[in-house]
Amino acid sequence: MHRVNIHPTAIVETSSLGDNVTVHAFAVVRAGATLGNNVVIHPYVVIETGVILGDNVEVFPGAYVGKVPKGAGVLARIPRFEPFVQIGANCSIGPHVVIYYDVKIGENTLIGDGASIRELCRIGSRCVVGRHVTLNYNTSIGDDTKIMDHSWLAGNMRVGNRVFISGGVLTANDNMLGKHGYQEERIVGPSICDGAVIGAGAILLPGVVIGEEAIVGAGAVVTRDVPPRTVVMGIPARAIRTSLGDE
């Protein structure tokens, strides 16, 4: 038997609802959205057309999934996107999260309260995107990666598998600080390779590569590439050893 539980004040325009779906008070689910089995939509959530939620996804109050990127005539970069969002099974989308169009999120991933995920982002499975984290446009995150609270990842950035990014980490993608407008080939954020660890409050400058299993100490300012399995600290960051076990 197909079961749905829709609050009388909710607006549900789609007929693509799985079994045992719950939509709470004052939520809006637009025509063309797809909700899998056992999905829970909490109050004041907006799910736009083209959004696909896998089985057992839960979206907490005030989240907005499927936001249209708007340049408003002030951005140097013209937003480009396809009108869809795909969220894998067993994901949790926290209160007041904003997920723009053209985003894919893998299974068993947690998106923390107030996070913002821009267009063209791709997030793997079993990831954590912490509270108030910003993922800017065209940023990819591998599987089993954790990004802690209040970190800011620049546009055109790549993060590998099993990466740990601690709280308050900042990144940049333009050495000219916007003076030359937006040029796709020049605006490139850092690349963080598989297994790397970034300490709290570190700053990664445009285009730097953090090698596999490398460690960036808390508060470091990384101005050049970090070799694999190297520990760097300081301002500017300098190598101090090749692994935590070395003296």
Side-chain angles (χ1 to χ4, degrees), residues 5-7 9-11 22-28 40-44:
N5 180 19
I6 299 174
H7 192 276
T9 63
I11 299 173
T22 299
V23 182
H24 287 284
F26 303 107
V28 177
V40 179
I41 306 297
H42 285 271
Y44 300 102

Side-chain angles (χ1 to χ4, degrees), residues 125-213:
S125 298
R126 301 173 303 279
C127 292
V128 174
V129 176
R131 290 173 294 179
H132 303 287
V133 166
T134 295
L135 301 184
N136 269 285
Y137 61 91
N138 194 32
T139 290
S140 68
I141 310 295
D143 296 332
D144 301 297
T145 286
K146 296 178 173 61
I147 305 169
M148 297 294 101
D149 300 354
H150 299 284
S151 289
W152 191 93
L153 272 61
N156 294 331
M157 184 168 169
R158 300 291 174 264
V159 179
N161 303 313
R162 305 181 312 281
V163 169
F164 182 85
I165 298 176
S166 193
V169 170
L170 300 177
T171 63
N173 64 3
D174 183 5
N175 280 318
M176 299 309 297
L177 306 177
K179 290 183 178 180
H180 292 172
Y182 186 80
Q183 300 170 351
E184 187 79 30
E185 68 281 359
R186 185 178 56 80
I187 307 297
V188 179
S191 293
I192 305 176
C193 297
D194 294 352
V197 175
I198 313 298
I203 299 174
L204 310 182
L205 295 189
V208 299
V209 177
I210 310 300
E212 291 187 7
E213 308 291 340

Side-chain angles (χ1 to χ4, degrees), residues 31-181:
T34 300
L35 277 57
N37 299 324
N38 306 309
V39 166
V40 179
I41 306 297
H42 285 271
Y44 300 102
V45 167
V46 176
I47 306 293
E48 291 287 2
T49 298
V51 173
I52 301 173
L53 303 183
D55 294 347
N56 308 308
V57 169
E58 188 165 8
V59 185
F60 285 89
Y64 186 13
V65 183
K67 185 178 188 297
V68 175
K70 291 287 187 180
V74 69
L75 295 182
R77 181 186 64 87
I78 298 173
R80 54 185 175 85
F81 64 95
E82 297 293 331
F84 79 94
V85 174
Q86 182 176 324
I87 298 177
N90 307 308
C91 287
S92 178
I93 310 300
H96 305 291
V97 167
V98 177
I99 300 175
Y100 285 66
Y101 269 136
D102 209 330
V103 168
K104 292 183 180 180
I105 300 174
E107 297 180 350
N108 300 292
T109 288
L110 169 65
I111 309 296
D113 308 353
S116 177
I117 302 173
R118 290 289 303 272
E119 69 275 11
L120 302 174
C121 282
R122 303 292 185 261
I123 301 172
S125 298
R126 301 173 303 279
C127 292
V128 174
V129 176
R131 290 173 294 179
H132 303 287
V133 166
T134 295
L135 301 184
N136 269 285
Y137 61 91
N138 194 32
T139 290
S140 68
I141 310 295
D143 296 332
D144 301 297
T145 286
K146 296 178 173 61
I147 305 169
M148 297 294 101
D149 300 354
H150 299 284
S151 289
W152 191 93
L153 272 61
N156 294 331
M157 184 168 169
R158 300 291 174 264
V159 179
N161 303 313
R162 305 181 312 281
V163 169
F164 182 85
I165 298 176
S166 193
V169 170
L170 300 177
T171 63
N173 64 3
D174 183 5
N175 280 318
M176 299 309 297
L177 306 177
K179 290 183 178 180
H180 292 172

